[in-house]
Amino acid sequence: MVERLKSFDWVLIATVFALSVFGLIMVYSASYPLSMDLFDSSTYYIIRQLIYFGIGVIVFAVLMNFRYHYFKTLSPYIIVVSVILLLLVVFIGIAENEATRWISIGGVNMQPSELVKLGVIIYLAQVYSQKQKYIDRFATGVAPPLIVVVGLFTLILLQPDLGTAVMIILVGGVIVFLSGARFRHLAFLGTLSAAVVLFLVTQADYRMNRILAFRDPFAFDDSFGLQLIQSYISISNGGITGTGFGQSVQKLGYLPEAHTDFILAIIAEETGWVGVGFVILCFLIIGFRGLMIGVRCKHLFGSLLAYGIVFQLMFQFIFNAGAVSGLLPITGIPLPFVSYGGTSLIVSLASAAILVNISLQNQKDYNHAQPKEEPNQQEKSLVFKRKWNEM
């Protein structure tokens, strides 16, 4: 038992929970004015987030001890459940802020698209790890799994939620690349995806408004540029050390979504660059540890699964931080482990737990290495050799 405990990646675990606890503290600070205004209680949002965090801890404890290899068998069922949940959103979803992205189960709201992001990673890692003999063939190797991804992409667009849909495409592209697909196939898929996203952006006024606000928010300071301007003010107020916990002015009705998508702006205001630096450091540690877990894994499925999870978390961080700082258009992507939102928090913790289990299995593989295990490592290395030869 002691040896097993020593085998866990405690640096990764400690970083994930340090970031999550910091997120809980900031959710309370960012949400209590709105909570008082809407529910006459300063703790409405934080109590709900604490409940979700408790569920997430349980899920984390289970999945960190659940052999990731079993997800190979479960991946088809995960996709079926994903499709069912997204269809439920279409037909009986709960509308909020001109979007229908939630369903209610037993009085508890959940956002299925957050679950789907992890489900797609598991599915693609499983399928492409089995397609190595013909991964260089587009029609039989690369394309078939992407039909499933396109279907899920379409269902998420119906909500509408282009940000999450694009996230799935990006992470899917990373997995396809690391699976060993040819560069010309990747170039074709990348060009097609970019063209589709650009077309979708131009077909909705609110998406074009976000692009216009991204380019010059001050030209639209009384409409769709307001949120970004208020975020700028939050960041500028914070300086190096911040105004102090609970001392944000922007959360007092000035900055929309202060406890969700724009919580990083409140972190910047109350804790300054010290707090923002802590968040960045945590994500860098998670990213580095996750990539190393993928590199050290002897099984291609485990490597692709680890890479998919790491890039998912890092892309979300980049998109969220970019939107808050005005470096990227606003997409509605939450900050993993930090933003208010039960489904996002639970899925983020579940993703990290899978990384921890892959790390644990890596340790076991290296401690009990047998000659018969070598072909798995050789198969994995062939992917990168094929990439090198194509360059």
Side-chain angles (χ1 to χ4, degrees), residues 70-85 119 122-123 126:
Y70 294 139
F71 283 114
K72 278 187 174 183
T73 304
L74 294 174
S75 65
Y77 304 102
I78 291 173
I79 291 299
V80 170
V81 171
S82 297
V83 172
I84 292 173
L85 289 174
I122 294 171
Y123 169 72
Q126 186 273 324

Side-chain angles (χ1 to χ4, degrees), residues 325-373:
S325 61
L327 297 176
L328 292 172
I330 296 173
T331 58
I333 298 294
L335 185 61
F337 306 107
V338 180
S339 290
Y340 175 81
T343 314
S344 174
L345 179 59
I346 292 171
V347 172
S348 295
L349 288 171
S351 301
I354 294 173
L355 281 179
V356 172
N357 184 261
I358 298 173
S359 175
L360 177 65
Q361 299 305 319
N362 288 351
Q363 190 67 34
K364 289 183 177 180
D365 287 342
Y366 280 101
N367 289 341
H368 305 92
Q370 298 293 332
K372 64 180 180 181
E373 293 180 300

Side-chain angles (χ1 to χ4, degrees), residues 106-350:
V108 177
N109 293 348
M110 65 173 294
Q111 189 174 356
S113 60
E114 291 291 330
L115 299 170
V116 172
K117 287 189 291 189
L118 179 57
V120 167
I121 293 170
I122 294 171
Y123 169 72
L124 291 180
Q126 186 273 324
V127 172
Y128 284 120
S129 67
Q130 301 297 318
K131 283 181 169 288
Q132 289 306 295
K133 291 182 179 179
Y134 39 93
I135 192 65
D136 56 344
R137 304 173 196 168
F138 186 80
T140 57
V142 176
L146 297 182
I147 296 173
V148 174
V149 176
V150 170
L152 296 172
F153 177 90
T154 303
L155 289 174
I156 293 174
L157 277 181
L158 295 176
Q159 299 181 5
D161 188 357
L162 181 60
T164 299
V166 169
M167 191 66 60
I168 287 175
I169 294 298
L170 281 174
V171 176
V174 169
I175 294 176
V176 172
F177 169 74
L178 294 174
S179 297
R182 292 185 179 276
F183 279 111
R184 63 172 178 268
H185 297 159
L186 292 167
F188 169 74
L189 291 172
T191 303
L192 179 62
S193 299
V196 169
V197 171
L198 181 61
F199 172 77
L200 291 171
V201 168
T202 60
Q203 297 306 299
D205 289 340
Y206 77 94
R207 291 173 186 152
M208 285 302 301
N209 290 341
R210 287 182 173 182
I211 299 298
L212 293 173
F214 162 66
R215 294 182 61 186
D216 186 6
F218 295 98
F220 309 94
D221 57 352
D222 59 346
S223 56
F224 38 86
L226 175 65
Q227 189 174 30
L228 183 54
I229 292 172
Q230 295 301 323
S231 180
Y232 286 159
I233 296 172
S234 289
I235 296 170
S236 65
N237 286 345
I240 302 297
T241 59
T243 58
F245 178 73
Q247 301 303 308
S248 166
V249 174
Q250 297 308 111
K251 69 187 179 187
L252 302 177
Y254 297 102
L255 176 63
E257 312 295 341
H259 62 302
T260 55
D261 301 344
F262 274 73
I263 194 169
L264 190 59
I266 303 301
I267 292 173
E269 185 174 6
E270 295 191 349
T271 66
W273 283 105
V274 174
V276 173
F278 171 76
V279 173
I280 293 173
L281 177 63
C282 286
F283 275 103
L284 288 176
I285 293 173
I286 292 170
F288 177 76
R289 302 294 290 195
L291 288 176
M292 290 301 98
I293 288 169
V295 168
R296 292 167 181 165
C297 185
K298 291 187 174 184
H299 308 279
L300 184 57
F301 170 68
S303 290
L304 294 178
L305 183 57
Y307 293 142
I309 289 172
V310 169
F311 278 97
Q312 174 73 60
L313 293 173
M314 297 307 293
F315 280 151
Q316 284 189 238
F317 167 66
I318 291 169
F319 272 59
N320 181 273
V324 169
S325 61
L327 297 176
L328 292 172
I330 296 173
T331 58
I333 298 294
L335 185 61
F337 306 107
V338 180
S339 290
Y340 175 81
T343 314
S344 174
L345 179 59
I346 292 171
V347 172
S348 295
L349 288 171

